Amino acid sequence: MPDTSPTGSSSTGPDLVEAPRRRRWPLVLGALVALAVVAGVVVATTGDDDSAAAGETVRIGVVGASDPYWATYEEAAADAGIDVEIIDFSDYNQPNPAVSEGELDLNQFQHIVFLADYNVASGDDLQPIGATAIYPLGLHSKQYDAVEEIPDGATVAVPNDASNQARALVLLQSAGLIELESGGTIFSDLADVDTDASRVQVEALDAALTATSLDDLAGAVVNNDFVERAGLDFDDALAQDDPNDANALPYANVFAARAGDLDDATYLQLVEIYQETQAVQDGVVEVSGGTAVMLDTPVEDLQDSLAKVESDTRAQQD
């Protein structure tokens, strides 16, 4: 993004004002024109628009750029005078480093727990600047129509990334398929599964593979991003968690930015466009099979939740 400080303007201004007294009029006019140009640069770089992205294309990383609501979002942003480019990723591990390294300006693909895990593991400090939605996590199967039909000893898959794995394991426990020795927390992993007390075996797979592996599994917990891509129906989930639960805030999906960009006017406007454009909101709900719960949670609450999860994560590692 461009440097918006008035670099060089302070030294150029005095040179023009203190030019030699003996001038011909063309020189005077030339100096005045130059001064006007410099003044224009100063106004352009220090004026009312305090956005680092003013006049530039804002690059936003997402997982699932082919979802129709992103095109609607780009159009709504263009109507507001903001050029947005949506960059697609298939790997959850890529969009955060891309923001940190300046390849992206924002990303929107993750919930707070995932962001906290990334920040703690990498030593980074990406921050949420706005909420989008909470998506319930669902247990799907191609072989069985009810949880009770899944036989003892069968294998069920969960995502292998830490935050979604913990959430998936808690879901399996709620469905009566496994028991977790800790009782179930945002830090639960496969080692927390009480195998003797559990009905099924649990296998961890890349989130993108849980759905596509269902032919070989009794069931799998599938992230919303991959449900329809795998030809599954949201309504066919055998079980799902409750996005309206008071403890669900850490699983709110967010726009994430570098810590230094939290007050960027353009970025904050882009959050408002997402939250206030009804066609975008309707599109998100439609793509989620009607499961998404749309949010406009105060940014302070999101950042407080992130700080709490990060603190708990560090304590868990000690």
Side-chain angles (χ1 to χ4, degrees):
M1 297 180 297
D3 180 359
T4 57
S5 61
T7 304
S9 59
S10 61
S11 61
T12 304
D15 288 343
L16 291 172
V17 173
E18 298 175 5
R21 295 179 181 177
R22 293 184 180 180
R23 291 188 182 131
R24 297 182 183 276
W25 277 109
L27 292 178
V28 173
L29 291 174
L32 291 174
V33 170
L35 183 58
V37 169
V38 171
V41 171
V42 172
V43 169
T45 58
T46 63
D48 292 336
D49 189 349
D50 60 354
S51 168
E56 298 291 327
T57 297
V58 180
R59 293 166 58 86
I60 303 176
V62 306
V63 174
S66 61
D67 291 337
Y69 67 83
W70 283 121
T72 304
Y73 177 74
E74 286 181 311
E75 292 173 4
D79 290 342
I82 305 172
D83 184 25
V84 168
E85 181 181 3
I86 301 298
I87 309 298
D88 194 29
F89 291 85
S90 60
D91 183 348
Y92 285 157
N93 295 314
Q94 294 176 345
N96 280 331
V99 170
S100 182
E101 294 165 9
E103 297 171 5
L104 298 174
D105 300 298
L106 304 170
N107 67 44
Q108 197 283 294
F109 76 101
Q110 67 192 322
H111 48 55
I112 290 172
V113 175
F114 189 97
L115 178 57
D117 283 343
Y118 167 77
N119 278 344
V120 171
S122 66
D124 210 335
D125 188 27
L126 300 186
Q127 291 288 321
I129 63 168
T132 57
I134 288 182
Y135 302 90
L137 206 57
L139 170 64
H140 292 264
S141 175
K142 288 187 176 181
Q143 302 180 46
Y144 306 103
D145 297 322
V147 170
E148 295 75 21
E149 295 179 9
I150 297 176
D152 293 354
T155 299
V156 174
V158 296
N160 65 358
D161 60 277
S163 57
N164 285 310
Q165 182 173 131
R167 188 181 181 191
L169 291 172
V170 171
L171 170 60
L172 294 183
Q173 178 173 255
S174 298
L177 291 173
I178 65 171
E179 290 291 334
L180 298 171
E181 294 176 355
S182 67
T185 72
I186 62 172
F187 307 109
S188 293
D189 57 19
L190 294 187
D192 194 25
V193 177
D194 184 340
T195 55
D196 292 334
S198 298
R199 281 189 51 212
V200 299
Q201 300 179 47
V202 184
E203 177 182 350
L205 297 174
D206 185 277
L209 299 179
T210 55
T212 58
S213 301
L214 275 173
D215 288 336
D216 303 315
L217 299 166
V221 177
V222 182
N223 290 24
N224 261 54
D225 289 328
F226 303 111
V227 172
E228 289 188 328
R229 297 186 207 179
L232 302 173
D233 192 318
F234 289 99
D235 293 335
D236 290 338
L238 307 188
Q240 64 181 28
D241 55 9
D242 182 6
N244 294 303
D245 189 289
N247 296 318
L249 181 57
Y251 295 107
N253 279 46
V254 297
F255 279 95
R258 291 177 291 276
D261 291 335
L262 296 185
D263 297 323
D264 185 280
T266 297
Y267 298 166
L268 295 176
Q269 186 178 0
L270 286 171
V271 171
E272 291 180 1
I273 290 170
Y274 188 101
Q275 294 176 346
E276 298 176 2
T277 303
Q278 193 60 48
V280 172
Q281 298 276 291
D282 292 344
V284 175
V285 173
E286 181 178 356
V287 166
S288 74
T291 64
V293 177
M294 307 309 296
L295 303 173
D296 58 0
T297 310
V299 175
E300 295 78 8
D301 292 351
L302 301 175
Q303 293 171 355
D304 287 347
S305 179
L306 176 66
K308 174 66 164 57
V309 176
E310 287 179 351
S311 176
D312 290 346
T313 301
R314 293 188 184 96
Q316 183 77 9
Q317 294 176 352
D318 291 342

